[in-house]
Amino acid sequence: MSKRIVVDPITRIEGHLRAEVVVDDDGVVTDAYISSTLWRGLEVIAKGRDPRNVPLLMQRICGVCTYSHYLKSTMAVEDALGIKIPLNAELVRTLMNAALFLHDHVVHFYHLHGVDWVDITSALKADPKKASELAFKYSKNPIATGENDLIKVQETVAKFASNPQGLGPFANAYWGHSTYKFTPEQNLIALSHYLKALEMQRLAAQLMAIFGGKNPHPQSLVVGGVSCVMDILDPARMGEYLTKYKKMADFVHNAYLADIKMAAEAYKDEPSVTKPMGVRNFMAFKDFKVGRDEYLFDSGYILKGDLTEVLEINEDLITEEATHSWYQDDEPQHPYDGTTIPNHTGFVDGESIGPDGEMIHSKLIDPDGKYTWIKSPRYDGQPMEVGPLACLLVGYAKGNTIIKDAVDGFLKETGLPLEILFSTLGRTAARSLQAGIVADNAIKAFHNLIENLKVDQDTCAPYVIDNDKEYKGRGIGDVPRGMLIHWIRIKNGVCENYQATVPSTWNAGPKDANGVRGPYEADLLNLQIADVTKPLEIIRIIHSYDPCIACAVHVMDTKGNKLAEYKVDPLYGGVCNT
Amino acid sequence: MNTTNKEEVSAQQIEQEMEFTPAYRWQHWIRAIAILILIITGFYISVPFFTPEPNSEPTNFLQAIIRNLHLVFGFVMIAVVIWKLYLTLFAEKYKSERVSVLDMLNPVVWVKQIGYYLFMTKHPHLKGVYNPLQLMAYIGLYIVFFILIITGLILYVNVYHEGLGGLLYAPMRELEVMLGGLAWVRELHHISMWIVIIIVTIHIYMAIFNAVFGKQGSMDAIFSGLKWHKKH
Amino acid sequence: MNHAKDASYDALYSAFEERIAQLSKLSRMKEEQSIMDVIEEKGISRRDFMKWAGAITAMLSLPSSFTPLVADAVKVVDRLPIIWLHMAECTGCTESLLRSDAPSIDSLIFDYISLEYQETLMSAVGWQAEENLEHAMEKYKGRYILMVEGGIPIGNEGSFLTIGGHGKKGMDIAKDASENAAAIFAIGTCSAYGGIQAAAPNPTGSVALSDVTDKPVINVPGCPPSEKNIVGTLLHYLLYGTLPALDVYNRPKWAYRLRIHDLCERRGHFDAGEFVEQFGDEAAKDGYCLYKVGCKGPYTFNNCAKNKFNQGTSWPVQVGFGCIGCSEPDFWDTMGTTNEPLGSRLYQSVFSGLGADATADKIGLGLLMATGVGIAAHAAIAAKKPPKE
């Protein structure tokens, strides 16, 4: 008999997310539903505001991707007003973006995703000497894995473990779960890196703050360029960036990438992470400008995992619909006249497997009704996965040499087939490879900036907003969590309409009207769960997408309309005629 | 000024009357100057519309000087407003101002006064010195002055923490919260200034209008204090 | 003045001493070890620790004689269980907490404030996570510190946020957790005032934490507040044992007493009347005042200029952008246009977007022109048809 498992709250993500699966008697997932349980309505709030205020407002969509929305929103306003920003400004933005990628991916792997892979309690049994030697297997210059370092880490954890109150944030997790595959020594290495990464993420944040003023929520992008001209012209400041960048890059190579290789080795035979993914369509957009015409990542999309063909993106084919989302549906025949109004139908009463294995009363998702604040974006009717994996696959298929070298190098070192990329393990590995690419190549932007400053010190382009004119534009690119688009319309000198198409929306969206699932839901199908009271496998899969749910939830759309044409209703984000 | 007065009257038929005391005239003109300076410096403080030539030694503290001017005349304004309020409310010579309230309570006077301005009826006979519309405008002006003073003081205590600023700090911060924060205080101050500008504009026009068409209207009373009317 | 200060500091000093003695007598929640053990274990020398305590003392605007007391205070911090709730938020405040430093003190804080529930950092998930919350609220009843991040959506009966397998509403969780907390800190502008989701037209009906509980709430606003303000507030609570000295918006005075403008490094240029006219111009390269490009420092109470962000790396005025007023109530609505002085604040009109560029000056000028037209018309009529005698 099939039973329901509810996982809510899914912790170690940004935002509020619930996963629900139906399992059969063997613990195999037969159906899955993903629900976001918070709605804030920021696009509605953007309406009627000065376009220069909007990027700061949109930045507050998310404090984890704290720079992504700020950047794309600023680019959207610039695109609308037809501003070409100075090269210096573009390169400084790239340097800040590099800081974000390095910060975000490291924090995600260690502090958010990490304990899905690493059993902290097992690290206690490790032999620190052996672990210290083992670390050289994955890196020539391992970080924080000296024997003494590891002994200290063990002592700290031992004290926690011996005191149930002391476990604090580590209490009551799925320790000892059968799908933890690291040896005690490997766990110890990763745990030491977990603690070291707490220090490193501060450094990466400083890296962004050098040009951004602060982190989270940096504050130096202005429409037309950047405001931090004094810091750019200060050689000591530039030196600070370079030094901290190198330290961060070193950590990415000798801790992060090393641990991923270790994980690839340990987990390559674990079915719950190597299970082929459900949606094999991938989409990414060109980003990471490091020189006048040089980008690290490419645009395009791939269907059905076919790496021989990369198709060009036509933004007009991006649609969203709300069949299973908590918004009122519109009549398809009157697409522009309806309004999209929140329509929270809540959950239904039922039973699910409780923490002790018995069935307990719960609020459940009604799979036939509406069950999430996230909508279902589709490209030409197809669900798409976005994110670092999509970025790498598109680049790989396009023959981007930087990406090809990184991917092939990883596969060669680990001895894994290309097919492994189409799995949870592949997704997690792709993120680290992307961090490695940024760590190796973003510094080109730094050197190009220095070269350009010799002849040109412009950091901001002048512009005027004509109140009598109407403008529309969009900012697009690949941010740490995938392809992000912001769309703006400006009329009477104020924001008339605002939309965002966000990576986690693509990945976490519910079924569409045709019953086609999005990547999260499709990926959970056929998953074998070892212990239904401790669904670590579910968490691991969902975390591998790096969910950012505050980002994913937003107002827009009617059934299957062009996103760029949507208008937000003054109260709730409906669609007006354009 | 009287050249436009169409009424031909001989010297024997008119007599002098002290309409505005020296105290009244002084406060009027001090207030007028203060308002003018406060408006100009206020606009500068809101958006500094001119800046000194940049030089490597910032010694010309233009903003500080202009802000200081604004403060000085702000306090002058406070003093004058208090003084005038005292005169109006308590001084014997200003009884006629207080009597104007009676006119304001009389609907007939209202109708006639409005009719007069619309060229339809004759000017009503007034018990006091101000007609109802005039009195309403002045009361309104004083309410706006009051808002300006309070918001001004809130802005003041946040810059100057010693002396008067220190004394008023706690109550003014409470008021700041009631008004919705410092940004709103600043906006209220700004908006109130515009109301003053508009009232003053109308005031000047009405003074001229009265000087031209009024029975005894003459603008020089506010300079000399004297007005003239026919002997009875 | 100075004598008075000394006297009040003396009183404060003895009050602190008393408080720390009081706290030390309380039963320890973790019997195993003292904080000094941990400090040593983390490889921090006593000297480093005292240095850090000195820095914190200075940050709290206390004289250096308080440094040993601060150090003592930290040693009793380990008895404080923390419950940190996420409401309608962006996780920026948690990120800011993660930036906290001083000699490796961040891991110290994570381990020793006994972080019982924190959705972004905790390992437990689902039912187990909920258990942790219930367990902590029960076990440390009346003794835990509640820190809340995010506004509380109460519109549509609070249905815009639910958490947990029982679909409990966010506002109910916040209310329940507030009931038995020893102290409540609203971390960030959202939980302090409602924040961005409460900006007009506030589609989710979001409000401040203080609006859903009748318990006293200490506001630590900012978007996000600096790591020092979050951690410092915790320490300040420990020193006083009661609510810290609060300003009119219930913000700790040690952090929010003065305006950005008062401590700004570019203040000299403001007084000199030297302003950046446009981002990237010569004045910007020289570090002139940012007032004309929209700095809201004169209306914003915070200590950014003093403590800066990310271990003193920088702050918004230093990178030439200026302050956006993020620690003030409703700043999204009251602070006007980001890159222009407050005088350019937009007033939304009801004429379906017409005149959406209206500022106080434009409206004022418009009214003045209308007045002028009225005067001219009146005068013209008067010239033709004088008023009746």
Side-chain angles (χ1 to χ4, degrees):
Chain A
M1 204 194 89
S2 64
K3 288 177 181 170
R4 199 75 77 93
I5 301 177
V6 177
V7 190
D8 184 5
I10 293 181
T11 56
R12 285 177 281 121
I13 59 160
E14 197 298 318
H16 298 273
L17 186 67
R18 156 191 285 236
E20 249 181 78
V21 297
V22 182
V23 287
D24 63 16
D25 292 336
D26 303 324
V28 174
V29 175
T30 56
D31 210 346
Y33 325 108
I34 298 292
S35 169
S36 157
T37 58
L38 167 68
W39 185 69
R40 297 197 296 161
L42 296 195
E43 287 93 337
V44 180
I45 294 165
K47 274 200 69 153
R49 291 177 193 263
D50 190 292
R52 290 163 294 178
N53 286 18
V54 172
L56 285 163
L57 198 91
M58 286 305 143
Q59 184 179 24
R60 269 72 187 178
I61 288 177
C62 181
V64 178
C65 351
T66 174
Y67 178 69
S68 307
H69 294 288
Y70 190 28
L71 177 64
K72 298 304 170 211
S73 182
T74 308
M75 284 164 66
V77 177
E78 283 159 354
D79 184 45
L81 298 175
I83 303 166
K84 170 124 182 50
I85 71 166
L87 182 61
N88 289 334
E90 294 219 54
L91 294 174
V92 170
R93 287 177 179 189
T94 300
L95 293 179
M96 289 170 68
N97 209 12
L100 177 75
F101 271 79
L102 297 178
H103 182 277
D104 212 33
H105 287 353
V106 165
V107 168
H108 175 259
F109 179 67
Y110 286 104
H111 306 126
L112 306 182
H113 202 12
V115 294
D116 301 336
W117 303 88
V118 181
D119 185 345
I120 293 179
T121 53
S122 143
L124 293 175
K125 294 177 225 138
D127 175 350
K129 190 161 188 295
K130 263 169 76 185
S132 181
E133 282 159 11
L134 181 66
F136 284 93
K137 185 177 173 190
Y138 309 106
S139 160
K140 278 182 196 144
N141 302 296
I143 291 175
T145 52
E147 197 185 333
N148 287 351
D149 298 322
L150 296 177
I151 289 173
K152 218 177 247 175
V153 168
Q154 258 183 337
E155 279 175 6
T156 312
V157 178
K159 284 193 172 174
F160 283 137
S162 65
N163 183 343
Q165 286 170 323
L167 278 174
F170 305 109
N172 213 359
Y174 302 147
W175 306 132
H177 195 277
S178 63
T179 63
Y180 279 125
K181 293 295 172 193
F182 277 149
T183 64
E185 281 72 26
Q186 289 173 324
N187 277 319
L188 183 57
I189 292 170
L191 176 61
S192 179
H193 287 158
Y194 176 102
L195 297 173
K196 182 71 180 172
L198 278 175
E199 186 188 321
M200 298 312 289
Q201 59 89 20
R202 267 202 316 267
L203 188 83
Q206 288 168 7
L207 199 58
M208 185 188 283
I210 290 170
F211 299 119
K214 65 188 178 105
N215 171 292
H217 294 333
Q219 199 169 311
S220 64
L221 301 192
V222 290
V223 173
V226 292
S227 68
C228 51
V229 60
M230 270 181 105
D231 298 292
I232 298 166
L233 296 177
D234 182 342
R237 213 64 172 139
M238 297 299 274
E240 195 182 338
Y241 184 91
L242 194 57
T243 310
K244 288 179 173 169
Y245 176 89
K246 282 184 173 164
K247 227 173 150 183
M248 202 61 213
D250 181 49
F251 183 80
V252 166
H253 277 290
N254 293 313
Y256 185 14
L257 279 165
D259 287 351
I260 292 293
K261 282 177 212 156
M262 188 167 85
E265 182 191 273
Y267 280 85
K268 63 172 186 276
D269 298 321
E270 166 55 39
S272 68
V273 296
T274 52
K275 182 180 86 66
M277 54 181 53
V279 172
R280 289 165 68 100
N281 306 328
F282 301 90
M283 188 155 65
F285 206 88
K286 181 171 88 171
D287 208 325
F288 235 96
K289 186 169 186 166
V290 291
R292 201 171 282 281
D293 295 306
E294 197 183 349
Y295 291 83
L296 292 185
F297 306 142
D298 301 297
S299 297
Y301 70 97
I302 294 167
L303 288 176
K304 301 192 170 63
D306 178 9
L307 292 180
T308 59
E309 191 186 15
V310 179
L311 301 145
E312 284 307 310
I313 297 170
N314 173 4
E315 289 158 38
D316 286 344
L317 297 179
I318 298 172
T319 60
E320 277 198 340
E321 60 145 276
T323 308
H324 290 285
S325 316
W326 281 316
Y327 305 95
Q328 282 180 13
D329 251 337
D330 289 297
E331 292 299 317
Q333 62 267 43
H334 302 296
Y336 293 121
D337 302 329
T339 51
T340 300
I341 292 171
N343 177 22
H344 186 257
T345 51
F347 298 117
V348 294
D349 287 297
E351 282 194 329
S352 72
I353 301 172
D356 304 317
E358 84 288 18
M359 297 303 285
I360 58 170
H361 174 261
S362 321
K363 291 279 182 188
L364 297 180
I365 282 170
D366 171 13
D368 301 324
K370 294 173 179 293
Y371 58 83
T372 178
W373 287 115
I374 302 178
K375 298 193 178 177
S376 324
R378 294 291 180 262
Y379 181 85
D380 201 9
Q382 300 280 342
M384 290 279 166
E385 175 175 339
V386 298
L389 177 59
C391 173
L392 293 204
L393 288 175
V394 167
Y396 192 88
K398 270 200 160 181
N400 179 323
T401 48
I402 293 172
I403 291 175
K404 228 169 151 37
D405 289 352
V407 173
D408 288 340
F410 172 79
L411 294 176
K412 198 172 154 219
E413 271 187 81
T414 53
L416 293 169
L418 185 62
E419 181 60 25
I420 196 75
L421 289 176
F422 299 94
S423 71
T424 303
L425 183 63
R427 193 177 298 113
T428 299
R431 188 168 293 105
S432 71
L433 294 174
Q434 194 186 41
I437 290 167
V438 170
D440 288 339
N441 296 287
I443 208 64
K444 286 179 191 161
F446 181 89
H447 297 304
N448 282 329
L449 174 64
I450 298 284
E451 280 310 306
N452 196 53
L453 281 174
K454 291 176 185 168
V455 291
D456 160 30
Q457 302 201 331
D458 261 7
T459 52
C460 200
Y463 62 93
V464 279
I465 302 176
D466 185 343
N467 288 343
D468 300 328
K469 264 195 187 161
E470 283 187 46
Y471 304 93
K472 67 173 182 175
R474 59 105 174 91
I476 186 168
D478 244 46
V479 297
R481 284 175 180 76
M483 189 180 80
L484 173 66
I485 319 176
H486 280 243
W487 323 72
I488 190 170
R489 283 166 178 270
I490 300 166
K491 192 179 173 185
N492 294 319
V494 296
C495 169
E496 199 211 9
N497 193 40
Y498 206 90
Q499 305 292 354
T501 312
V502 182
S504 294
T505 318
W506 286 101
N507 294 339
K511 275 189 288 193
D512 61 22
N514 303 324
V516 177
R517 292 182 175 84
Y520 282 19
E521 291 185 353
D523 224 1
L524 289 173
L525 294 184
N526 306 321
L527 175 69
Q528 170 74 52
I529 295 173
D531 177 351
V532 287
T533 63
K534 292 176 178 170
L536 176 61
E537 298 90 339
I538 294 178
I539 301 303
R540 204 184 272 129
I541 287 178
I542 290 178
H543 276 159
S544 75
Y545 286 91
D546 197 356
C548 201
I549 301 308
C551 300
V553 176
H554 44 94
V555 173
M556 54 168 84
D557 129 71
T558 56
K559 215 170 211 164
N561 291 312
K562 285 184 196 172
L563 273 177
E565 302 300 326
Y566 291 143
K567 275 190 165 183
V568 178
D569 176 83
L571 185 58
Y572 278 135
V575 178
C576 318
N577 204 348
T578 44
Chain B
M1 278 295 181
N2 273 341
T3 49
T4 52
N5 197 338
K6 286 172 185 164
E7 202 160 346
E8 295 290 329
V9 283
S10 66
Q12 295 80 18
Q13 284 175 302
I14 56 173
E15 63 180 3
Q16 253 185 357
E17 192 196 357
M18 176 68 90
E19 186 177 17
F20 298 122
T21 63
Y24 189 105
R25 277 178 278 138
W26 275 103
Q27 68 84 20
H28 175 270
W29 288 112
I30 292 172
R31 191 143 46 99
I33 291 165
I35 288 174
L36 188 68
I37 292 174
L38 285 171
I39 287 172
I40 294 167
T41 53
F43 269 122
Y44 175 84
I45 292 169
S46 173
V47 181
F49 44 81
F50 61 96
T51 42
E53 202 54 34
N55 69 51
S56 52
E57 293 167 45
T59 47
N60 41 8
F61 289 98
L62 186 66
Q63 213 282 349
I65 291 166
I66 289 178
R67 192 176 68 233
N68 208 32
L69 211 60
H70 193 80
L71 289 179
V72 168
F73 280 92
F75 282 109
V76 166
M77 196 60 196
I78 294 174
V80 172
V81 166
I82 293 171
W83 183 19
K84 178 67 205 321
L85 269 180
Y86 165 77
L87 291 179
T88 304
L89 295 177
F90 303 108
E92 186 50 36
K93 280 185 184 162
Y94 293 81
K95 208 181 158 198
S96 55
E97 288 192 30
R98 301 196 284 274
V99 171
S100 301
V101 175
L102 294 177
D103 292 325
M104 199 176 74
L105 297 174
N106 184 348
V108 179
V109 179
W110 271 93
V111 172
K112 280 191 177 172
Q113 188 65 45
I114 295 168
Y116 174 73
Y117 284 140
L118 295 176
F119 313 107
M120 283 155 65
T121 57
K122 284 187 178 179
H123 198 287
H125 178 73
L126 298 175
K127 292 191 178 104
V129 284
Y130 302 136
N131 74 54
L133 290 174
Q134 199 180 3
L135 188 64
M136 287 294 285
Y138 290 169
I139 291 172
L141 190 63
Y142 270 77
I143 291 170
V144 175
F145 282 160
F146 180 73
I147 295 170
L148 278 163
I149 288 169
I150 292 295
T151 51
L153 284 175
I154 294 170
L155 292 164
Y156 173 80
V157 299
N158 275 304
V159 183
Y160 301 92
H161 301 95
E162 301 291 328
L164 183 67
L167 199 70
L168 293 174
Y169 188 77
M172 287 302 148
R173 293 301 307 280
E174 290 291 336
L175 280 172
E176 181 189 318
V177 175
M178 283 194 240
L179 292 175
L182 203 51
W184 248 117
V185 168
R186 177 96 177 231
E187 275 302 275
L188 275 176
H189 201 74
H190 196 108
I191 292 165
S192 304
M193 172 203 69
W194 273 108
I195 299 175
V196 171
I197 291 175
I198 286 165
I199 292 180
V200 166
T201 311
I202 297 170
H203 169 74
I204 294 171
Y205 171 70
M206 294 311 292
I208 296 170
F209 177 81
N210 265 326
V212 175
F213 298 109
K215 235 190 235 167
Q216 308 134 351
S218 84
M219 235 162 80
D220 45 321
I222 199 63
F223 295 96
S224 64
L226 303 175
K227 74 170 180 182
W228 305 83
H229 55 75
K230 280 184 215 163
K231 279 180 184 167
H232 292 295
Chain C
M1 200 63 191
N2 272 337
H3 289 295
K5 239 178 198 168
D6 285 348
S8 71
Y9 276 142
D10 284 346
L12 200 61
Y13 194 92
S14 36
F16 287 178
E17 267 183 332
E18 212 173 285
R19 169 70 184 157
I20 289 164
Q22 208 183 338
L23 282 173
S24 309
K25 272 184 231 138
L26 289 175
S27 67
R28 303 181 74 90
M29 279 165 188
K30 284 176 248 161
E31 298 299 337
E32 296 285 310
Q33 55 202 134
S34 80
I35 215 141
M36 273 329 277
D37 293 343
V38 186
I39 286 168
E40 277 152 30
E41 181 187 297
K42 299 271 167 189
I44 300 160
S45 70
R46 184 161 169 84
R47 208 169 137 259
D48 284 341
F49 176 68
M50 289 310 283
K51 235 190 209 160
W52 172 81
I56 289 290
T57 312
M59 197 174 88
L60 298 174
S61 312
L62 295 169
S64 57
S65 59
F66 278 65
T67 304
L69 269 190
V70 170
D72 284 345
V74 173
K75 289 177 200 165
V76 292
V77 168
D78 62 347
R79 294 183 190 87
L80 280 179
I82 304 280
I83 293 174
W84 177 301
L85 295 180
H86 287 71
M87 292 289 130
E89 44 82 44
C90 76
T91 316
C93 297
T94 295
E95 286 280 343
S96 187
L97 175 75
L98 274 174
R99 306 294 183 269
S100 178
D101 83 316
S104 179
I105 214 84
D106 60 347
S107 46
L108 204 67
I109 297 252
F110 282 128
D111 306 341
Y112 277 83
I113 50 177
S114 204
L115 197 53
E116 297 291 327
Y117 187 85
Q118 216 293 3
E119 282 175 26
T120 313
L121 299 170
M122 67 195 299
S123 304
V125 186
W127 295 118
Q128 283 82 356
E130 282 200 278
E131 270 178 10
N132 283 8
L133 178 60
E134 285 159 21
H135 174 257
M137 279 168 60
E138 187 59 38
K139 180 169 182 190
Y140 301 118
K141 200 169 178 177
R143 292 169 76 185
Y144 62 84
I145 292 203
L146 175 67
M147 297 170 103
V148 177
E149 169 181 5
I152 322 290
I154 61 168
N156 200 15
E157 292 164 1
S159 65
F160 292 117
L161 169 63
T162 64
I163 301 170
H166 297 296
K168 202 169 171 186
K169 284 166 183 166
M171 64 177 191
D172 295 330
I173 296 174
K175 255 186 236 175
D176 293 349
S178 304
E179 224 29 64
N180 291 310
I184 306 171
F185 299 159
I187 301 296
T189 296
C190 293
S191 64
Y193 314 121
I196 186 157
Q197 46 276 321
N202 194 353
T204 55
S206 285
V207 296
L209 176 63
S210 53
D211 291 333
V212 297
T213 174
D214 42 14
K215 305 282 169 191
V217 175
I218 299 172
N219 289 331
V220 187
C223 196
S226 73
E227 66 277 11
K228 287 183 180 172
N229 284 1
I230 299 176
V231 177
T233 304
L234 205 58
L235 270 165
H236 203 285
Y237 167 79
L238 219 97
L239 286 169
Y240 281 91
T242 55
L243 302 181
L246 300 175
D247 79 348
V248 282
Y249 286 114
N250 285 349
R251 300 177 287 205
K253 269 190 183 167
W254 65 268
Y256 300 92
R257 194 168 61 87
L258 291 174
R259 299 174 307 160
I260 297 288
H261 196 49
D262 298 329
L263 300 169
C264 182
E265 61 204 25
R266 302 193 184 204
R267 179 60 186 264
H269 289 297
F270 174 81
D271 286 339
E274 297 174 335
F275 300 99
V276 172
E277 301 285 337
Q278 207 179 357
F279 291 109
D281 66 3
E282 283 306 312
K285 288 175 190 163
D286 288 341
Y288 280 12
C289 174
L290 300 164
Y291 179 82
K292 283 185 84 172
V293 287
C295 180
K296 303 299 185 297
Y299 327 109
T300 308
F301 294 81
N302 211 331
N303 57 356
C304 310
K306 190 165 147 243
N307 285 350
K308 302 193 180 179
F309 293 84
N310 305 95
Q311 293 74 53
T313 302
S314 191
W315 68 296
V317 167
Q318 189 172 339
V319 287
F321 190 96
C323 169
I324 61 168
C326 74
S327 55
E328 292 304 301
D330 306 326
F331 81 96
W332 293 108
D333 293 331
T334 59
M335 291 290 176
T337 304
T338 306
N339 299 139
E340 283 187 33
L342 193 56
S344 309
R345 177 181 165 186
L346 294 182
Y347 288 87
Q348 299 218 6
S349 66
V350 289
F351 307 112
S352 59
L354 276 178
D357 58 334
T359 64
D361 283 344
K362 279 196 184 162
I363 296 169
L365 212 59
L367 287 177
L368 188 65
M369 272 159 65
T371 312
V373 170
I375 286 174
H378 195 265
I381 296 169
K384 275 202 168 162
K385 185 192 172 198
K388 295 187 175 163
E389 288 294 313

